[in-house]
Amino acid sequence: MPTPVGIVGFRGYSGAELALILERHPQVEPVLLEHRDAEVRPQPIGHPGPLRQKFSAESVRDAGLAVVFLATPPEVSMELTPPLLAAGTKVIDLSGAFRLGTVENYRRWYKEPHQQPELLAEAVYGLPEFYRSQIPGARLVSNPGCYPTAANLAIRPLVESGVVVREAGMICDAKSGVSGSGRKPSLKTSFCEVADNFSVYSVFNHRHVPEVLRTSGLHEGELSFTAQLLPIDRGILETIYFRTRGVGSADDLLEIYQKTYANEPFVRLYPAGQAPDLRAVTRTNFCDIGVYFDASDGRAVVVCVIDNLVKGAAGQAVQNMNLLLGFPETTGLLQRTA
Amino acid sequence: MPTPVGIVGFRGYSGAELALILERHPQVEPVLLEHRDAEVRPQPIGHPGPLRQKFSAESVRDAGLAVVFLATPPEVSMELTPPLLAAGTKVIDLSGAFRLGTVENYRRWYKEPHQQPELLAEAVYGLPEFYRSQIPGARLVSNPGCYPTAANLAIRPLVESGVVVREAGMICDAKSGVSGSGRKPSLKTSFCEVADNFSVYSVFNHRHVPEVLRTSGLHEGELSFTAQLLPIDRGILETIYFRTRGVGSADDLLEIYQKTYANEPFVRLYPAGQAPDLRAVTRTNFCDIGVYFDASDGRAVVVCVIDNLVKGAAGQAVQNMNLLLGFPETTGLLQRTA
Amino acid sequence: MPTPVGIVGFRGYSGAELALILERHPQVEPVLLEHRDAEVRPQPIGHPGPLRQKFSAESVRDAGLAVVFLATPPEVSMELTPPLLAAGTKVIDLSGAFRLGTVENYRRWYKEPHQQPELLAEAVYGLPEFYRSQIPGARLVSNPGCYPTAANLAIRPLVESGVVVREAGMICDAKSGVSGSGRKPSLKTSFCEVADNFSVYSVFNHRHVPEVLRTSGLHEGELSFTAQLLPIDRGILETIYFRTRGVGSADDLLEIYQKTYANEPFVRLYPAGQAPDLRAVTRTNFCDIGVYFDASDGRAVVVCVIDNLVKGAAGQAVQNMNLLLGFPETTGLLQRTA
Amino acid sequence: MPTPVGIVGFRGYSGAELALILERHPQVEPVLLEHRDAEVRPQPIGHPGPLRQKFSAESVRDAGLAVVFLATPPEVSMELTPPLLAAGTKVIDLSGAFRLGTVENYRRWYKEPHQQPELLAEAVYGLPEFYRSQIPGARLVSNPGCYPTAANLAIRPLVESGVVVREAGMICDAKSGVSGSGRKPSLKTSFCEVADNFSVYSVFNHRHVPEVLRTSGLHEGELSFTAQLLPIDRGILETIYFRTRGVGSADDLLEIYQKTYANEPFVRLYPAGQAPDLRAVTRTNFCDIGVYFDASDGRAVVVCVIDNLVKGAAGQAVQNMNLLLGFPETTGLLQRTA
């Protein structure tokens, strides 16, 4: 019998993607938890979709939900997490509420005091490739941001291996599809503003920077991160520039990745001098990485792509759920999602 | 010395297009009239754009504005028109406020009582190809809707000539870019909802239907009109289906158009069996028409394209302004707009 | 043990979609049959994808392929089908080679003599909703065209039920994404020609018209079909106009569809006055239908959407394969494809 | 009387843009020179467009063409330039044939021997902001590449001013619309390959790199340049990263640009911490620049945008023509182009 799991915020893009993945997951049954109202698309007759019920701590307990996903803004996640944990369910939060480790860090980047300092300290950062062992025992998993997922998967093995000339800095020039900005209508995400356009929207000061610093091993000032808006629905491509020491070829860099990711089901590497495009990973939970190297002076470029709604949100959340509930980690994640 | 003219609603898509056209119009100087606040895009240093001033009837009079364009919602147009006329300026209204001729018609399609019945009766419908003679003497020009501009230019010559089998009905299958829905953010015009999509949004009941009926000569029930949303910024293409009597070839139909539009600077025709695509007219004030005919049974298809923001809104408004102010009708309208 | 099945033309868009579906089909194992060379996208290391082998009748026989899909141009399909059948495999052809029933029909619409008249006569038209019983016993299944799949599913129940005023004609205004034109580079499908554009490309004379006539029950002259190119990757929406007799409401029309499709897993209906958009079916094998009705005079509009690469090509081909091989008809087809 | 000027390659995207600009240029009359055949779009009746004639050195001389634009591949430009110069016309070449200064450089980056070494040495590099004085007297102007135009305008003032820490390297992460790849159909520029996608296509080895090195003042190894393909028609945005010395604020950097470009009509600057998006310059001859600065450690980011077909090709070519023929430099270039 499938395990029931809940989704709050199922009308947003990450939440809707979660529902699609979980509907086809063989071991769980999703329940959509109505927390606020929102428009609904026309539905075909006789295809009601997943179960729905009003959200409350009691209804969650009564339904025996093993896990509840919060695809909600940080302030809502901070409000809903304590009663859910008290009701005995585990929480996977897709917002930034519990990602930054300290209240100081949160206040600096989110410009608000944190409402749940103890939970912030308790939360496990749900990037399985680096924190897998901590996830099964967690009550609260903080699902990583989309940009940091790609950046950390690309950068951390390099920093750990010591090949990066850190004093020269690493540049992460990041481009994302529009769904990363959420479903709430705004001029910035209106079709006529985005179509036929490309824009820089955050230089030096994106909220995702501290997530990269926490996990990649880089220190502040060593990372220059720019967020840019692609006129497409979904997908992130990050072009990462750095100078190397002790590296003779692109294959040396590839070897670092191959060692780190030898047993990782969702990280794929490309032959030296080839890079994935966005389409390589769209609607999948894969993170694909390609490497370029200029042997004359040791400059390197790494290209890293993910789907911001899958490996960058809902897919990774299901990966974390699989770990929490003891299912094989790839369950439900080897097919296209949406 | 250029004539000053005002624009209310210059941040909306039609209003912004108006500002672009008028900035390069050799005979006028646009003044942007601040009526409500809205976000502003970053501007380059030292390129301030057109003059701006707060909107009020007095400021309009003091500035000596010969014409004020209202690129505002119908209720705002109904509110602003009387004081403007009282201040001695002429008004070109781009909303639906004054298009439908009677208060009954307005109430039926706009679901509200009309606030200015006398002005509704007085307003001249600003489709120069058919009402040119009435425009120079008008105080209030009601600029046509985007869909009706294309539909009336395509349909009226056919109906007038008697070749349409009206009892079989005319079908106008219309497709529009997203800018036709205005700049106000909404889920329906959000990038992630529109991109990679195509949708029907109004069948039988679009507000533009009565405008087509008033001008084309068709009666209710003879026109089936469907509005559909293209995943592009701008442009309208209408595919029009009907059965003919007394027609032997596509050239017979073309001849009807050629007679009607022989001296029209903004209507262009294509050789029989060829049709314009949207790009043929994008960012221009042209309306392009192509004709297909099946000689075996007299079925015909007409394809008609305009740019909804130009011939369907701002360009036609400038065409009307040229007529109102006695300038050559094509002034400022033979270049790309945006 | 999975049944091996082959794909010729796996680099084209329909063929690639087939490969994606079949890779996740639990009962078969796809083999890519190399027939001609073409560019290949970069592939991640260690993810080789499906098996590949050179195409030949012998290799097909040696590999014990139960079915071979031909995602090839009609002339190639006509050439490859006889040796495949001789080798004892069944063939599902996705081209137009075997769809039109008679050599006269083929010559008229494809402008070439047919090379395999006997196979043309033998081929079963693979639209399961109407020809299900003939498929399991067939050697050669002719997979329907994309436009006709949607058109026939929408039109045939109406014509059969007698509610269509046929002498007034039915209009099928069809819009398709670019993948329907195939993967071979051409100016017409170049990004810069298609983006921000919309165009009519076939009026009265599209090759898919005779497929609709054969199956829908309409006679020539009763159907006006226009093909138009949407600036999107995939998806077909058809807006169908007709006059009714003996119909009182949209629900009367819905009831006709509900009777016809009560047990069909891939046809979904919408409440009266609602229509699916393209996204409702993208990357699925569903055909979604919505109905509008004007009770004042009996005019009706039906909106029908499919994904041209799935229900309009590869998905329907797998549906036919399931029938040919005795698997449950929906096997492998209830997930997103690509 | 307007001066006649010729265009070879008017069907390509740069050539077509040239024709559009020159048609509205008040001082010249364009003549389209037929050199090779290509498809033509349907044209409206009675709107023939510019004059056309067969290309030959004699026809050019007979027509009294003051300037001929070559919007052709490098090998065609090398072939056509000598007879044109011999015929007494001036040549503005939009290809890469004459941009790299030396035959060694050309051979290294274009993988072919140069056919016209003397003309290569003679050609003036047509970036008016830096080489204005050399242009009026030139016989052969080599119009800059699209990427280098943006890169040189953004980088050279910084390098000249000495604020760049050159040993840390400059990164130019460049993104371009598809029209930069030309009009010839190819899989890489097919709609279904580009739409919903984003890809890196040239790392370290793009042919435009030596043009940036020649003009910016950077040495090889100091510039890391990556070319990437945006799913849009036109526009280039370059995000440029570097470390500074002796800079206290973004305004210090802006001041460098303001001094350099004080009298430049086509370079616009933004207030510190703001950047233009692509739309700011689409269909214009402007180059817009914005500056970001991190005062804590002197890292800087510059964002530079142009329209690849205008300031990056046809517009700049007309700017060069204006200089060659003694017209005011902005003639015909202060309106939208296409």
Side-chain angles (χ1 to χ4, degrees), chain D residues 104-122:
Chain D
E104 295 74 23
N105 224 5
Y106 187 84
R107 184 193 294 264
R108 172 173 167 202
W109 292 92
Y110 285 76
K111 314 292 178 201
E112 298 281 345
H114 201 284
Q115 301 303 318
Q116 304 291 343
E118 293 180 15
L119 291 177
L120 178 61
E122 176 187 339

Side-chain angles (χ1 to χ4, degrees), chain C residues 243-300:
Chain C
R243 292 182 175 255
T244 60
R245 60 168 55 94
V247 173
S249 71
D251 283 326
D252 290 354
L253 293 171
L254 269 176
E255 205 182 305
I256 293 168
Y257 285 123
Q258 282 170 318
K259 278 187 193 156
T260 309
Y261 297 128
N263 299 310
E264 288 299 337
F266 293 119
V267 182
R268 301 187 300 193
L269 305 171
Y270 283 65
Q274 291 185 23
D277 58 11
L278 264 193
R279 288 269 195 99
V281 298
T282 308
R283 299 166 213 280
T284 78
N285 200 48
F286 289 110
C287 172
D288 281 14
I289 296 175
V291 173
Y292 296 83
F293 186 71
D294 184 330
S296 68
D297 52 11
R299 285 173 297 147

Side-chain angles (χ1 to χ4, degrees), chain C residues 123-254:
Chain C
V124 168
Y125 191 66
L127 188 58
E129 286 76 7
F130 297 125
Y131 304 102
R132 182 171 287 114
S133 63
Q134 301 175 35
I135 296 166
R139 288 199 308 166
L140 170 58
V141 175
S142 177
N143 211 57
C146 49
Y147 285 126
T149 293
N152 283 321
L153 289 170
I155 294 174
R156 180 164 156 151
L158 301 171
V159 171
E160 277 191 334
S161 71
V163 297
V164 178
V165 179
R166 293 167 61 158
E167 59 274 23
M170 289 191 92
I171 309 292
C172 181
D173 188 274
K175 302 91 176 169
S176 174
V178 183
S179 59
S181 300
R183 188 163 181 253
K184 197 175 164 197
S186 78
L187 191 59
K188 286 183 180 176
T189 57
S190 284
F191 185 87
C192 295
E193 305 293 316
V194 172
D196 298 323
N197 206 352
F198 180 75
S199 59
V200 172
Y201 67 91
S202 203
V203 179
F204 294 134
N205 61 1
H206 196 282
R207 284 178 175 182
H208 283 172
V209 166
E211 274 186 73
V212 183
L213 297 178
R214 268 193 94 200
T215 293
S216 69
L218 289 177
H219 298 143
E220 197 158 358
E222 293 176 345
L223 174 72
S224 295
F225 178 89
T226 301
Q228 294 159 108
L229 192 63
L230 284 168
I232 62 174
D233 181 11
R234 50 164 74 200
I236 284 176
L237 186 148
E238 297 180 355
T239 313
I240 298 170
Y241 299 84
F242 58 102
R243 292 182 175 255
T244 60
R245 60 168 55 94
V247 173
S249 71
D251 283 326
D252 290 354
L253 293 171
L254 269 176

Side-chain angles (χ1 to χ4, degrees), chain A residues 41 45 196 269 277 335, chain C residues 41 45 196 269 277 283 335:
Chain A
R41 290 164 53 95
I45 300 168
D196 298 323
L269 304 171
D277 59 11
Q335 55 186 353
Chain C
R41 290 163 54 93
I45 299 168
D196 298 323
L269 305 171
D277 58 11
R283 299 166 213 280
Q335 55 188 353

Side-chain angles (χ1 to χ4, degrees), chain A residues 20 24 41-45 47 196 233 258 268-271 274-275 277 279-280 283 334-338, chain C residues 24 41-45 47 196 233 258 268-271 274-275 277 279-280 283 334-338:
Chain A
L20 284 172
R24 282 169 281 138
R41 290 164 53 95
Q43 293 296 318
I45 300 168
H47 291 75
D196 298 323
D233 182 9
Q258 281 169 319
R268 301 187 299 194
L269 304 171
Y270 283 63
Q274 290 185 23
D277 59 11
R279 289 271 195 96
R283 297 166 213 280
L334 294 176
Q335 55 186 353
R336 299 274 164 162
T337 59
Chain C
R24 281 171 281 138
R41 290 163 54 93
Q43 293 296 319
I45 299 168
H47 292 75
D196 298 323
D233 181 11
Q258 282 170 318
R268 301 187 300 193
L269 305 171
Y270 283 65
Q274 291 185 23
D277 58 11
R279 288 269 195 99
R283 299 166 213 280
L334 294 176
Q335 55 188 353
R336 300 274 163 162
T337 58

Side-chain angles (χ1 to χ4, degrees), chain D residues 281-326:
Chain D
V281 298
T282 309
R283 298 165 213 280
T284 78
N285 200 48
F286 289 111
C287 172
D288 281 14
I289 296 174
V291 173
Y292 296 84
F293 185 72
D294 184 328
S296 68
D297 51 11
R299 284 175 296 147
V301 173
V302 167
V303 174
C304 181
V305 292
I306 61 168
D307 186 319
N308 58 296
L309 292 179
V310 191
K311 185 62 179 168
Q316 186 144 268
V318 173
Q319 195 178 348
N320 283 316
M321 179 199 78
N322 287 338
L323 289 165
L324 275 180
L325 299 183

